[in-house]
Amino acid sequence: MAVVTVYAVFANHGEAEAIARQMVEERLAACVNVLPACRSIYRWENRIDTVEEVPALFKTSLAQSDALIARIAELHSYDTPAIVTWAIPKVLAAYGDWVEENVR
């Protein structure tokens, strides 16, 4: 069992929650934690911007991670969304089994 977390940020809570729910419904993610808003500072189109964004943590299997990333990108409002995968080197076996079962 290989469980990964896919991290993404969204323009607002509504977008984060809608995409999170859809990813669980489509069985691409077993669970999603939509976190409180954060302040992001970044360079875009030759200027530095500071905005409030909403991060989310999607739990899925390594096997489903590419499909999950592609689907989030397809639904996302940003042209170039931040979507990254974090490996989870150790996981409680029962939790790993639950993730695998819910993304099949």
Side-chain angles (χ1 to χ4, degrees):
M1 114 199 58
V3 176
V4 299
T5 295
V6 173
Y7 170 84
V9 293
F10 299 90
N12 56 60
H13 272 92
E15 179 182 34
E17 289 182 17
I19 291 175
R21 179 169 296 279
Q22 190 163 349
M23 296 308 91
V24 173
E25 288 173 354
E26 293 180 15
R27 299 182 77 87
L28 292 173
C31 172
V32 183
N33 302 116
V34 177
L35 304 175
C38 67
R39 182 166 301 288
S40 296
I41 302 167
Y42 57 92
R43 182 180 304 278
W44 183 253
E45 296 179 348
N46 265 347
R47 69 176 215 255
I48 295 177
D49 283 329
T50 302
V51 298
E52 191 169 276
E53 295 181 299
V54 177
L57 304 172
F58 297 75
K59 274 64 126 251
T60 192
S61 66
L62 180 59
Q64 286 284 55
S65 62
D66 287 341
L68 174 61
I69 290 168
R71 188 71 171 124
I72 293 169
E74 180 182 327
L75 298 171
H76 207 288
S77 64
Y78 293 173
D79 291 336
T80 308
I83 308 171
V84 300
T85 301
W86 293 338
I88 301 175
K90 294 185 183 190
V91 63
L92 178 70
Y95 181 75
D97 292 343
W98 176 81
V99 169
E100 292 279 344
E101 179 182 318
N102 282 281
V103 296
R104 286 190 193 148

